[in-house]
Amino acid sequence: NEVLFGTSHGLIYIRNDKLVQVKYPNELKNSLVMSIREKDGHIFIATADNGLYVWDRKDRFLHFDKSDGLSSNHIYSLVFDTQNRLWVGTGNYLNRLIFNNKYDKVTVKKYGKEQGFF
């Protein structure tokens, strides 16, 4: 009974056929959303220019970008593997992210030319 849309100006959230207002960061309002994934009740939002956001589906948004170890703030794609690792396709490298239980700390491993990727 709910749908979350990523747009060129942030998010649109519809629940039970009604628009739900979400208080999300201003930076996300001005970002192009490229990919959205859900895991363990959290929503992972990839943007074209502002890195990755993790939303707890309440009012908490966490933000991760190059300063946290991502190889780029431009994220094309997100996918979780069977070991709960988040794979992030960026403009520069493929990144593997492992979060702690609260999703507020992340370990990033980069895969690029040095690891045999084209």
Side-chain angles (χ1 to χ4, degrees):
N1 292 331
E2 60 186 3
V3 178
L4 181 65
F5 294 97
T7 73
S8 59
H9 297 288
L11 303 172
I12 297 173
Y13 184 38
I14 299 173
R15 184 176 10 168
N16 297 322
D17 294 328
K18 294 183 182 175
L19 184 64
V20 177
Q21 295 297 321
V22 177
K23 295 179 183 176
Y24 52 86
N26 284 333
E27 296 84 11
L28 185 53
K29 288 180 185 176
N30 298 319
S31 292
L32 172 61
V33 175
M34 301 293 286
S35 182
I36 300 173
R37 291 288 178 266
E38 189 271 339
K39 182 74 172 166
D40 299 330
H42 288 76
I43 305 294
F44 296 79
I45 304 160
T47 69
D49 55 355
N50 207 21
L52 176 71
Y53 288 86
V54 180
W55 177 36
D56 68 357
R57 300 185 78 153
K58 296 174 187 159
D59 290 326
R60 187 173 110 165
F61 279 85
L62 299 172
H63 180 241
F64 301 94
D65 60 15
K66 286 179 72 170
S67 67
D68 299 294
L70 293 175
S71 59
S72 174
N73 288 337
H74 189 105
I75 300 174
Y76 291 101
S77 57
L78 302 172
V79 66
F80 279 94
D81 66 17
T82 57
Q83 297 177 9
N84 294 325
R85 299 175 297 193
L86 178 61
W87 292 86
V88 176
T90 75
N92 295 330
Y93 290 85
L94 177 65
N95 294 174
R96 183 186 72 196
L97 281 58
I98 301 174
F99 291 91
N100 67 354
N101 290 339
K102 295 180 182 181
Y103 293 100
D104 60 354
K105 297 206 187 304
V106 66
T107 302
V108 178
K109 177 155 181 154
K110 298 175 185 174
Y111 295 88
K113 291 179 184 176
E114 297 84 8
Q115 292 76 28
F117 282 79
F118 295 100

